[in-house]
Amino acid sequence: MMFRLQVFLIVSLGAALGAAVEVQRPRGVPLEKRHFYDESRPFTCLDGSRTIPFDRVNDDYCDCKDGSDEPGTAACPNGSFHCTNAGFRATFIPSSRINDGVCDCCDTTDEYNSGVSCQNTCRELGQKERETLEKMAEITREGFLLKRQLIEEAKQGLQEKQGKLSELQASRKEHEEKVDALRTVKETAEQPEREAKERHLKAWEAQKAALQLEKEKAKMAEVFLELDGDADGLVSVSELQTHQELDPDGDGALTDTEAQGLLSGADKVDSAGFQNVWSNIKDKYVSESQPAPPPPQEPQDSEVDQDKDSSKDSDKDADQAYPEDDAGDEEDDEEEDDDDDVPEEYDDKAPPAGPPAEHSDDSDGAMPSYDEETQALIDAAQKARDEFDSAEKSLREVDDQIKSLEKEISFDFGPSAEFAYLYSQCYELTTNEYIYRLCPFNRVSQKPKYGGSETNLGSWGSWNGPEGSKYSIMKYDHGTGCWQGPNRSTTVKLTCGKETAVLSTSEPSRCEYLMEFSTPAICQEPPSLETVAPETDPHDEF
Amino acid sequence: MWMFWAAWLSSCLTVTVAVDRGNFKTCDQSAFCKRQRAMTPGQSPFRALLDTLELSDSRLTLQLINDNNKVRLLLELYRLQGNMTRVKINELKPLKPRYEVPDILVTDPPTEPLSVVSRDENGVVLSLGAEACRLIVSAQPFRLDIMEGPQVLLSLNSRGLLMFEHLRPRKDTWRYPSFTFLFFQAPDEENAKEDESGMWDETFKSHTDSKPNGPSSIGLDFSLPGVEHVYGIPEHADDLKLKTTDGGDPYRLYNLDVFQYELYNPMALYGAVPVLLSHSPQRTMGIFWLNAAETWVDISSNTAGKTVFGKMLDYVQGASETPQTDVRWMSESGIIDVFIMLGPKPADVFSQYASLTGTQSFPPLSALGYHQCRWNYNDQEDVRAVDAGLDEHDIPYDFIWLDIEHTDGKRYFTWDSSKFSQPREMLQGLMDKKRKMVAIVDPHIKVDSGYKIHNEIRAKDFYIKNKDGADYEGWCWPGSAGYPDFTRPDMRAWWASMFAYDQYEGSMENLYTWNDMNEPSVFNGPEVTMHKDAIHQGAWEHRDVHNLYGFYVQMATAEGLIQRSGGVERPFVLTRAFFAGSQRLGAVWTGDNAAEWGHLKISIPMCLSLGLVGISFCGADVGGFFKAPSTELLVRWYQTGAYQPFFRAHAHVDTPRREPWLFGPENTAVIREAIRQRYGLLPYWYQLFYHAHRTGQPIMRPLWVEYPEDAATFTMDDQFLLGRDLLVHPVTEEGARGVTAYLPGRGEVWYDIHTFQKHNGAQNLYIPVTISSIPVFQRGGSIIPRKLRIRRSTSCMENDPYTLFVALSPQRTAVGELYIDDGHTFAYKENKFIHRQLTFANNTLISRFVDLIFSFLLSSPCV
């Protein structure tokens, strides 16, 4: 068995007696519930659960489950106490705040036995509240007038924009047609241009090929003479064997059979027959007049390799070309091995392996300039192209304008588009450390006052107010990410005001910002000319 | 308090810090621990020189000699009042004095006469008073055995692990002819040993410890025959019952600021209490190793007695089946000074330990209420809004807290001039609501010539010095910071004076203090703390005093709060670092935990372990410091925290806001209810604190403390007792639909405090739970006072009536107490309180005075 036992230590039994002094009703009972508390009859708990003798009302012991027998004491955990607060607004407080030493009711009635002395502040509070309410009402009134204006402006603005849009849409067609026409012109002009250019190119290539052939022949003749050691007009197997580098199987020795093979099975060939042989050996042949590997050719080859092959070869070449840099580079690479970013940088800095390839290609000679006729065709085509491009650009511009207008027109600027005026505006607030910038329907940002880069506190997300007042809160999200945290976001609370301004900013939680923003667009229509008299306001009854 | 230093470090030192074990030493990386551990059980080289024995009334002294190097030690034995034995071992003639820990013992422990019972060439038998209690000193090898009748209770050096690195001159300075030393020069073996690395300097990561004094570590083993359960040596994020450390690292005691600590391992944390409790159904004992240097504790459990006992022990059975636990303590410097508390009951051990280091400070009642904290409440407006929010949702609270951001640039004792421009106004606003505030004051002091505190400390030369004699500077919240030498009494007195209302600008009597980062935390120091070769007053190295630093910081702060009120008001100071004796100074919390279910669960064994070693005023950050808790976790944490001694919600600056009303009305209601349960039970909590203060008994207790013979309770740490009479099994599992609570006590009954349903003891009870359930039971036979008028704060409830909850035993009786005083002053010391013994029998409740002298300014209770 387990039971409870109440011990009254310091409790004032005087409380109940004291209550009797206040005549009309027991302490803590609101006027309209007075009739439930009739001294002449037993008291029935307001939930009907129990009936008790009336002297157990406000006797500082909880009898009713709903707490209704102790309206003026702290005995019931779920009770509430009514402060009349004459001069201000009547209110209920939890009964746990009766006689707790803290002044809650402005009429001091909650602290009748705690020893604390409270000042009756109802009159001042009432006054202050009335003033505030009046001020608020005035702001609301004026703000609402401004809002009407804003709605009107927005309506006009919308019309204008719609007009502009249809205008643009119409002109878009013109632009489109123009683009189409110019495209045809361009294509017509480009055809002859292309043909002329091709002709020119072909002619030049033919010329180049002829030249190359000549060179080749000369070279072959030269080699033939060089090989033909005995000058008998024939190149023999043994003569060929003076050039071991021609060894086809790479074993380092050019055997008789191999040499014969190179000579297409013959023992010797004459200069005419040598043509076939030359094509077999020209890649390997090393001229005797230049015993060292021919320098002009070698780098060229390596360049080709580098372009075609993996970087391995080129690295090798690079190493050969710059042996001294080699060691240093490698050390650096090792040091930075665990770091991903740095080695690439070093690679970039690695010296290129020889002169750039393009140059040597061009060294054969540039293409001769176009003849007059071709040039004229090119110029004409270029002009057509330019005209087409600029027409197309104008079309794109028109498209962009249309898109942005459509976006603006379709934007949710509130029930009567009263927030439209905020579009493409920005508002700033400077605090001790930062300059905050709110560009409604776009983004919020923060910039240190004394230098430093801007931080994105969120981009326009949506209207985010609770049901019924959706337009009272704007939400901006997906701002710059926080270290180990979420992306920054900002909640903008709109309050009614004559001015449009950022009133305050705070960061209640890390990376979640809160802004107060005043605008007339949120002002509600004042109910009527008479303001509410606070004393008689019967709200808050349950 | 979490830190940015991770980012800072990685940019400065190109170290990747994903904070992990790598930042903290293992035993292998701590040179002395490695050396100590390299010594394995075997024949001890130490021999007691019985002819040097001297016995005075209260103490016995005896020289020990290490036969390997001929170094002599001095052994001192004391029999202390209250069934304790003190064993001190120091070098007989140390090269220079070795550090002995001051200020921890409340008095020089009173002794009782020791007498020699018998003596021969093998040893000495001493009487420890009644009950055939004997202390046997065996000569060769040296060992100590404490016996009761035929039973060995505890042996020292029975595994031969006594190791004492004597101070020695450095070899490379040996050449100088001007140095001559008068002690035995070590023979070859010693020289060979000296080659071991880490003796004269030691490098960990980028930090080198210069070790000018060379090796100085000490170690000793204790064997506990018949013991299978050992507890204590906090602070570790581990189970209540200590685990064996074979094959792993020993438990480490070295106050460290560990970023995002891991659970279930023996790594060091913020505080260290070198007290170990052993328990068996027959006996509870304690070992208090009074040493403030880095300490490691090895625990192994094997069969007993491999070494040969003296003839007195001959009849002890071969003991191969007797369970035995062996404990080995290793410290880097200082001396061996160990207190053996012989129990025999848990309550006896608590009293014995309390007689040495004092009891839990008696906090102001308000400190037992709910604490609303966050890093940070941004400004005064934020404080006002949170205060109003709690009122609006009818949630009681007593303290709102300000973390480091409230200061002017992390200059403690100052206020941010724009965010907290009117601190007195803010404090007055709280005072009007009978509420209080705690502001943080950390011991690292910004090096800034425009900062009064720094200038005064520098002018008084109060800073700790680095090894080269300049002021030690480390990196912490304010950037470069100095660390006042709190080991200096004059420094502490000055620090205390800084809390005077005219010194601490903006402070008022409802402003209290929180000491964080007092391990001390040094972001760029070795293991995030101070260099061991830093120098304190008296030329002591930081190595000698490290684990005391936090204790002294809290001591000086608490003294400051007492002094500012002219000695009238009880202080309230929260600390993160602590040592043996910290219970005298205020509250501790378990540091920077995380919003994870595992961290909620570990809060129970962590606080239980602290309670066992005297520190009852313990709590964990409700909700978890790092990360964001799920709503369910937050709710469960409030429910658990409401039944733990220190009840504070706290959150990291980078986490989303989590004031109790931010999770929907249903959850707000559940959290409110948990906090209200706390406030309802405050009279009981207060009475438990009064008891802890008077007797040293823990508040939050493992079940085995009250049911020492019930082996089922020995490893239990998912439920606990508050005092004797409340059993709490909080829900700490995600998605739990029920918990199984163990209700102890054959023949006892327990009542569910919410439904009053009765359950029999000695059973596992399955309790279905919902999100609002907090399984709590009141023991049949107890009377618990509560207050049922839950108000805004404790002092709002001051004059409210008490309700006694009488839970009858099967014999239809119950006993309890009621303790009442003014709730905040030291007047209770002048017996200004009501303390009633309540007895219910024969359907009558009787109230008697507990204390003879009775006076209280208010009316007497009517029952």
Side-chain angles (χ1 to χ4, degrees):
Chain A
M1 169 195 174
M2 179 156 161
F3 58 90
R4 304 193 235 163
L5 217 150
Q6 274 221 320
V7 185
F8 291 84
L9 265 176
I10 301 121
V11 172
S12 55
L13 284 170
L17 299 172
V21 182
E22 214 176 79
V23 266
Q24 294 126 332
R25 49 191 158 130
R27 197 191 292 273
V29 175
L31 209 56
E32 61 282 2
K33 286 201 177 145
R34 180 177 48 173
H35 59 280
F36 293 119
Y37 297 85
D38 183 347
E39 274 180 64
S40 59
R41 286 199 308 226
F43 175 74
T44 302
C45 304
L46 298 191
D47 63 359
S49 60
R50 214 179 151 186
T51 299
I52 53 170
F54 194 84
D55 61 7
R56 284 167 70 172
V57 170
N58 275 345
D59 69 342
D60 208 20
Y61 188 91
C62 193
D63 296 288
C64 297
K65 272 193 178 154
D66 66 352
S68 56
D69 64 313
E70 297 295 320
T73 79
C76 294
N78 52 348
S80 57
F81 177 85
H82 183 260
C83 330
T84 311
N85 289 348
F88 187 50
R89 193 183 330 160
T91 186
F92 286 93
I93 59 167
S95 57
S96 67
R97 294 182 191 170
I98 300 169
N99 288 330
D100 67 349
V102 180
C103 306
D104 290 285
C105 301
C106 64
D107 65 3
T108 77
T109 50
D110 62 317
E111 297 299 317
Y112 56 85
N113 196 35
S114 67
V116 74
S117 74
C118 299
Q119 300 293 317
N120 188 325
T121 55
C122 290
R123 206 169 298 271
E124 291 152 45
L125 284 172
Q127 179 103 25
K128 215 183 259 172
E129 190 187 53
R130 271 190 298 280
E131 277 167 18
T132 326
L133 281 174
E134 269 160 34
K135 209 180 270 171
M136 285 281 293
E138 195 192 312
I139 290 172
T140 310
R141 222 169 17 244
E142 286 179 34
F144 189 70
L145 288 177
L146 286 171
K147 180 181 178 177
R148 272 196 197 148
Q149 216 169 307
L150 288 174
I151 293 173
E152 207 45 52
E153 280 167 17
K155 217 179 271 172
Q156 276 174 23
L158 186 66
Q159 273 168 7
E160 271 166 33
K161 271 161 202 145
Q162 266 157 347
K164 182 91 189 291
L165 182 62
S166 34
E167 228 171 76
L168 280 168
Q169 271 158 346
S171 82
R172 186 185 190 281
K173 209 162 231 177
E174 281 168 35
H175 277 90
E176 215 170 18
E177 279 162 9
K178 194 172 169 196
V179 166
D180 284 347
L182 284 172
R183 182 180 290 119
T184 319
V185 172
K186 183 187 84 152
E187 279 164 4
T188 323
E190 277 176 335
Q191 182 63 25
E193 179 206 33
R194 197 161 36 240
E195 285 165 6
K197 269 176 146 179
E198 240 162 67
R199 266 198 310 276
H200 183 82
L201 185 71
K202 264 191 193 143
W204 180 58
E205 270 169 1
Q207 200 183 341
K208 265 205 299 190
L211 245 147
Q212 186 66 29
L213 199 68
E214 284 295 298
K215 258 194 204 166
E216 189 79 350
K217 268 188 182 155
K219 171 87 178 165
M220 185 180 77
E222 194 184 311
V223 170
F224 187 85
L225 286 175
E226 212 172 84
L227 281 173
D228 184 12
D230 54 2
D232 65 348
L234 295 170
V235 170
S236 65
V237 167
S238 58
E239 280 169 345
L240 207 54
Q241 279 171 328
T242 60
H243 281 261
Q244 290 292 323
E245 77 267 19
L246 299 178
D247 171 33
D249 62 3
D251 65 356
L254 185 63
T255 63
D256 288 359
T257 345
E258 283 171 343
Q260 217 162 23
L262 289 173
L263 295 178
S264 315
D267 283 343
K268 44 183 75 174
V269 295
D270 61 7
S271 61
F274 188 69
Q275 275 185 14
N276 290 332
V277 179
W278 173 237
S279 59
N280 283 343
I281 64 170
K282 65 181 175 189
D283 289 341
K284 291 182 179 171
Y285 184 81
V286 178
S287 176
E288 282 158 25
S289 57
Q290 290 155 301
Q297 222 141 338
E298 192 57 26
Q300 255 184 26
D301 280 354
S302 78
E303 274 320 300
V304 174
D305 278 350
Q306 190 181 23
D307 289 345
K308 279 192 239 162
D309 279 348
S310 73
S311 57
K312 267 188 187 169
D313 288 338
S314 68
D315 277 356
K316 224 184 272 167
D317 287 344
D319 289 352
Q320 280 164 1
Y322 296 88
E324 279 169 15
D325 284 358
D326 178 29
D329 276 358
E330 247 176 47
E331 261 173 36
D332 282 349
D333 281 357
E334 263 169 31
E335 256 178 41
E336 301 292 335
D337 253 355
D338 32 9
D339 198 321
D340 284 343
D341 304 334
V342 187
E344 277 175 17
E345 217 177 289
Y346 278 81
D347 282 357
D348 288 348
K349 284 179 192 158
E358 303 88 79
H359 290 249
S360 50
D361 278 350
D362 288 350
S363 66
D364 279 342
M367 189 167 69
S369 51
Y370 296 111
D371 56 61
E372 242 168 72
E373 195 185 338
T374 311
Q375 192 57 48
L377 284 170
I378 291 172
D379 291 348
Q382 189 57 44
K383 188 165 168 258
R385 260 196 301 272
D386 291 347
E387 277 166 357
F388 169 75
D389 285 349
S390 94
E392 207 182 34
K393 195 177 160 206
S394 322
L395 176 62
R396 264 203 310 274
E397 277 166 9
V398 171
D399 274 343
D400 287 348
Q401 282 179 42
I402 290 173
K403 220 185 271 168
S404 101
L405 265 176
E406 279 174 344
K407 187 181 161 203
E408 193 177 341
I409 287 166
S410 68
F411 229 106
D412 183 358
F413 287 128
S416 315
E418 60 268 41
F419 297 103
Y421 81 106
L422 298 173
Y423 194 77
S424 66
Q425 301 293 314
C426 290
Y427 304 88
E428 286 190 349
L429 179 76
T430 305
T431 65
N432 281 339
E433 287 169 84
Y434 298 104
I435 300 166
Y436 290 88
R437 194 175 159 87
L438 167 65
C439 304
F441 307 109
N442 184 8
R443 68 198 287 266
V444 185
S445 60
Q446 173 202 54
K447 201 178 167 175
K449 211 157 139 190
Y450 307 106
S453 58
E454 191 182 81
T455 307
N456 179 1
L457 303 186
S459 302
W460 168 249
S462 58
W463 291 105
N464 207 27
E467 223 167 296
S469 57
K470 178 182 162 191
Y471 298 99
S472 61
I473 290 173
M474 290 171 157
K475 183 82 186 172
Y476 294 81
D477 39 31
H478 302 300
T480 312
C482 271
W483 187 67
Q484 277 207 338
N487 282 30
R488 287 175 176 78
S489 63
T490 304
T491 300
V492 179
K493 278 193 181 164
L494 306 190
T495 56
C496 168
K498 287 184 275 182
E499 310 288 325
T500 302
V502 179
L503 299 180
S504 72
T505 63
S506 57
E507 190 183 356
S509 197
R510 193 66 151 194
C511 300
E512 290 175 15
Y513 295 82
L514 181 67
M515 252 181 197
E516 261 191 295
F517 184 59
S518 86
T519 161
I522 190 75
C523 295
Q524 299 297 311
E525 184 166 11
S528 65
L529 285 179
E530 279 100 85
T531 45
V532 188
E535 301 100 306
T536 56
D537 183 13
H539 66 264
D540 266 350
E541 292 308 297
F542 55 87
Chain B
M1 170 114 311
W2 173 79
M3 39 203 57
F4 267 117
W5 62 268
W8 178 82
L9 264 186
S10 58
S11 63
C12 286
L13 305 172
T14 54
V15 178
T16 39
V17 186
V19 167
D20 61 333
R21 299 177 183 218
N23 283 335
F24 302 101
K25 288 184 184 178
T26 60
C27 175
D28 234 27
Q29 290 165 324
S30 183
F32 85 89
C33 187
K34 190 179 179 184
R35 290 197 302 274
Q36 288 272 349
R37 245 190 170 189
M39 187 179 194
T40 50
Q43 172 107 356
S44 176
F46 283 98
R47 179 160 53 91
L49 303 174
L50 295 180
D51 51 344
T52 63
L53 187 149
E54 284 175 39
L55 183 68
S56 73
D57 225 20
S58 59
R59 84 170 184 168
L60 174 146
T61 62
L62 184 64
Q63 289 180 24
L64 308 177
I65 185 161
N66 182 338
D67 278 329
N68 287 342
N69 60 12
K70 303 300 174 214
V71 173
R72 288 191 190 210
L73 305 180
L74 180 69
L75 168 76
E76 294 172 72
L77 293 173
Y78 300 84
R79 178 183 159 210
L80 302 184
Q81 274 177 22
N83 205 14
M84 288 183 282
T85 302
R86 182 181 192 177
V87 179
K88 271 176 97 165
I89 303 175
N90 197 351
E91 288 181 55
L92 182 65
K93 288 177 183 162
L95 203 54
K96 57 191 268 188
R98 298 180 66 116
Y99 191 70
E100 298 191 31
V101 177
D103 299 318
I104 296 303
L105 300 177
V106 281
T107 57
D108 202 9
T111 57
E112 288 189 293
L114 266 175
S115 58
V116 174
V117 177
S118 68
R119 178 174 175 173
D120 62 18
E121 71 278 9
N122 294 320
V124 185
V125 179
L126 301 159
S127 168
L128 290 176
E131 295 185 49
C133 226
R134 299 279 184 270
L135 172 61
I136 299 156
V137 183
S138 305
Q140 189 168 21
F142 162 70
R143 62 178 280 168
L144 294 174
D145 294 277
I146 296 176
M147 305 197 58
E148 189 181 55
Q151 215 77 42
V152 179
L153 301 180
L154 173 138
S155 311
L156 282 71
N157 200 32
S158 54
R159 291 192 297 152
L161 296 174
L162 169 60
M163 182 164 162
F164 211 108
E165 292 182 326
H166 61 282
L167 299 177
R168 63 204 77 184
R170 190 171 186 150
K171 268 211 251 166
D172 52 13
T173 61
W174 189 246
R175 298 187 206 99
Y176 296 100
S178 57
F179 282 78
T180 44
F181 295 99
L182 294 173
F183 73 102
F184 298 93
Q185 169 53 0
D188 310 347
E189 205 177 296
E190 186 68 13
N191 284 338
K193 255 190 181 175
E194 265 192 20
D195 292 338
E196 277 190 43
S197 61
M199 280 190 164
W200 295 96
D201 59 59
E202 177 176 350
T203 300
F204 179 67
K205 300 203 131 182
S206 58
H207 299 283
T208 299
D209 174 5
S210 66
K211 295 197 178 179
N213 296 320
S216 60
S217 75
I218 54 168
L220 180 60
D221 63 286
F222 299 77
S223 291
L224 296 154
V227 168
E228 284 179 281
H229 296 87
V230 287
Y231 308 93
I233 52 170
E235 178 176 9
H236 300 101
D238 208 346
D239 293 325
L240 174 65
K241 176 191 180 317
L242 298 173
K243 295 168 182 145
T244 60
T245 55
D246 305 324
D249 256 6
Y251 284 96
R252 189 181 190 202
L253 294 172
Y254 190 58
N255 294 355
L256 290 175
D257 178 2
V258 181
F259 173 87
Q260 291 188 340
Y261 59 79
E262 282 176 53
L263 305 184
Y264 304 109
N265 73 53
M267 282 173 72
L269 287 179
Y270 313 94
V273 184
V275 175
L276 178 136
L277 266 57
S278 73
H279 178 72
S280 73
Q282 291 75 39
R283 184 179 279 268
T284 307
M285 293 189 294
I287 298 170
F288 172 28
W289 176 266
L290 180 50
N291 188 296
E294 179 185 345
T295 296
W296 299 78
V297 185
D298 253 326
I299 291 164
S300 55
S301 181
N302 40 17
T303 42
K306 298 251 161 61
T307 47
V308 185
F309 279 27
K311 60 184 170 192
M312 275 293 293
L313 315 175
D314 279 349
Y315 50 83
V316 176
Q317 56 205 40
S320 51
E321 276 102 40
T322 320
Q324 174 168 317
T325 297
D326 296 307
V327 181
R328 175 186 195 173
W329 297 78
M330 300 165 277
S331 292
E332 188 176 10
S333 67
I335 64 161
I336 293 175
D337 188 1
V338 58
F339 297 80
I340 296 153
M341 300 167 279
L342 293 170
K345 292 288 154 219
D348 299 323
V349 176
F350 301 138
S351 311
Q352 285 154 3
Y353 181 62
S355 75
L356 297 173
T357 66
T359 61
Q360 178 63 53
S361 67
F362 191 28
L365 172 62
S366 54
L368 305 185
Y370 169 59
H371 298 261
Q372 182 69 47
C373 184
R374 173 177 181 83
W375 174 22
N376 214 99
Y377 286 121
N378 298 329
D379 48 28
Q380 284 176 218
E381 172 52 26
D382 200 0
V383 169
R384 195 205 55 74
V386 171
D387 176 78
L390 285 154
D391 269 350
E392 186 189 332
H393 297 91
D394 201 14
I395 297 170
Y397 87 96
D398 271 77
F399 281 87
I400 187 163
W401 291 53
L402 295 181
D403 208 322
I404 51 173
E405 312 299 334
H406 84 276
T407 59
D408 172 16
K410 318 297 186 297
R411 294 171 185 87
Y412 304 105
F413 301 100
T414 71
W415 304 84
D416 184 296
S417 59
S418 64
K419 295 171 185 161
F420 293 91
S421 59
Q422 304 298 328
R424 279 172 168 274
E425 202 174 276
M426 169 178 65
L427 288 164
Q428 186 60 51
L430 290 169
M431 197 180 278
D432 291 344
K433 295 244 196 112
K434 301 200 165 189
R435 286 172 176 152
K436 301 171 170 63
M437 174 172 264
V438 169
I440 199 164
V441 175
D442 287 351
H444 51 258
I445 301 301
K446 186 178 175 71
V447 175
D448 168 11
S449 57
Y451 178 28
K452 180 185 94 171
I453 298 284
H454 164 72
N455 289 339
E456 287 202 32
I457 295 173
R458 182 156 279 184
K460 293 175 191 297
D461 202 22
F462 279 160
Y463 278 126
I464 296 171
K465 304 285 179 278
N466 64 27
K467 67 177 162 56
D468 303 318
D471 284 352
Y472 180 92
E473 275 183 32
W475 199 264
C476 209
W477 295 125
S480 197
Y483 292 76
D485 188 356
F486 282 90
T487 67
R488 298 175 64 138
D490 52 356
M491 158 61 208
R492 294 199 299 274
W494 173 84
W495 179 266
S497 73
M498 288 298 103
F499 289 88
Y501 297 122
D502 59 351
Q503 290 291 328
Y504 189 168
E505 274 174 44
S507 68
M508 281 175 51
E509 58 268 37
N510 64 339
L511 180 68
Y512 293 77
T513 310
W514 168 19
N515 292 146
D516 196 0
M517 314 296 278
N518 51 343
E519 292 76 24
S521 180
V522 181
F523 294 166
N524 59 343
E527 302 191 85
V528 203
T529 192
M530 187 168 284
H531 293 73
K532 283 176 171 171
D533 51 13
I535 302 296
H536 291 256
Q537 190 184 40
W540 297 112
E541 284 189 286
H542 185 68
R543 147 180 15 261
D544 299 311
V545 305
H546 175 84
N547 284 347
L548 290 179
Y549 192 77
F551 166 87
Y552 277 132
V553 173
Q554 193 188 14
M555 183 190 237
T557 304
E559 187 54 36
L561 296 196
I562 294 171
Q563 279 177 17
R564 70 172 186 181
S565 73
V568 172
E569 297 287 329
R570 292 177 228 162
F572 170 63
V573 181
L574 178 73
T575 181
R576 190 170 71 180
F578 52 81
F579 189 68
S582 286
Q583 69 268 17
R584 310 199 296 263
L585 308 173
V588 306
W589 93 109
T590 61
D592 299 346
N593 61 0
E596 292 166 7
W597 288 91
H599 276 267
L600 166 60
K601 213 171 290 184
I602 206 83
S603 71
I604 300 173
M606 286 180 83
C607 280
L608 284 175
S609 297
L610 277 165
L612 290 176
V613 299
I615 300 178
S616 266
F617 204 0
C618 166
D621 285 346
V622 169
F625 178 66
F626 292 109
K627 303 183 183 173
S630 68
T631 303
E632 186 191 357
L633 176 58
L634 183 68
V635 166
R636 291 301 189 200
W637 214 317
Y638 267 102
Q639 294 174 335
T640 305
Y643 286 89
Q644 292 177 348
F646 176 56
F647 182 28
R648 182 185 73 152
H650 187 33
H652 187 272
V653 66
D654 281 337
T655 59
R657 293 291 281 240
R658 54 166 99 141
E659 283 68 43
W661 58 87
L662 294 174
F663 302 87
E666 299 86 3
N667 293 304
T668 305
V670 180
I671 294 172
R672 178 197 296 122
E673 172 55 23
I675 298 174
R676 290 171 68 96
Q677 285 183 28
R678 167 67 166 225
Y679 275 77
L681 277 165
L682 281 174
Y684 183 62
W685 278 106
Y686 196 52
Q687 173 191 313
L688 290 175
F689 269 90
Y690 181 70
H691 264 270
H693 176 58
R694 282 287 157 109
T695 67
Q697 301 300 308
I699 289 169
M700 191 172 156
R701 300 174 190 171
L703 268 64
W704 64 259
V705 166
E706 293 300 330
Y707 300 87
E709 287 166 26
D710 184 352
T713 64
F714 292 177
T715 59
M716 234 170 240
D717 58 11
D718 57 351
Q719 60 178 52
F720 53 90
L721 293 167
L722 295 176
R724 285 175 66 199
D725 298 335
L726 277 189
L727 184 146
V728 187
H729 189 117
V731 181
T732 57
E733 297 282 347
E734 185 171 15
R737 298 173 159 214
V739 297
T740 302
Y742 178 73
L743 303 180
R746 194 161 298 283
E748 290 198 30
V749 291
W750 293 86
Y751 296 86
D752 185 314
I753 67 159
H754 310 296
T755 64
F756 304 140
Q757 200 186 339
K758 185 163 81 173
H759 303 283
N760 288 325
Q763 67 154 327
N764 282 304
L765 179 69
Y766 180 79
I767 307 139
V769 297
T770 65
I771 190 64
S772 58
S773 307
I774 319 176
V776 182
F777 300 88
Q778 182 177 342
R779 196 175 54 81
S782 66
I783 300 173
I784 289 184
R786 289 199 229 171
K787 283 191 173 182
L788 297 185
R789 299 182 183 181
I790 310 304
R791 306 202 194 232
R792 257 191 283 241
S793 71
T794 53
S795 61
C796 287
M797 295 161 65
E798 192 182 351
N799 296 331
D800 284 333
Y802 291 78
T803 302
L804 301 179
F805 283 72
V806 184
L808 294 187
S809 69
Q811 294 75 38
R812 300 187 62 78
T813 61
V815 293
E817 283 174 34
L818 185 59
Y819 175 83
I820 303 166
D821 64 15
D822 66 18
H824 58 97
T825 73
F826 285 111
Y828 72 89
K829 289 191 167 174
E830 288 132 37
N831 296 314
K832 289 187 176 160
F833 56 73
I834 299 169
H835 195 183
R836 313 282 297 183
Q837 164 96 47
L838 307 166
T839 320
F840 185 90
N842 306 319
N843 284 327
T844 313
L845 184 72
I846 299 164
S847 158
R848 290 190 203 89
F849 299 128
V850 173
D851 296 72
L852 287 174
I853 312 157
F854 164 70
S855 81
F856 191 61
L857 34 96
L858 297 165
S859 57
S860 64
C862 54
V863 179

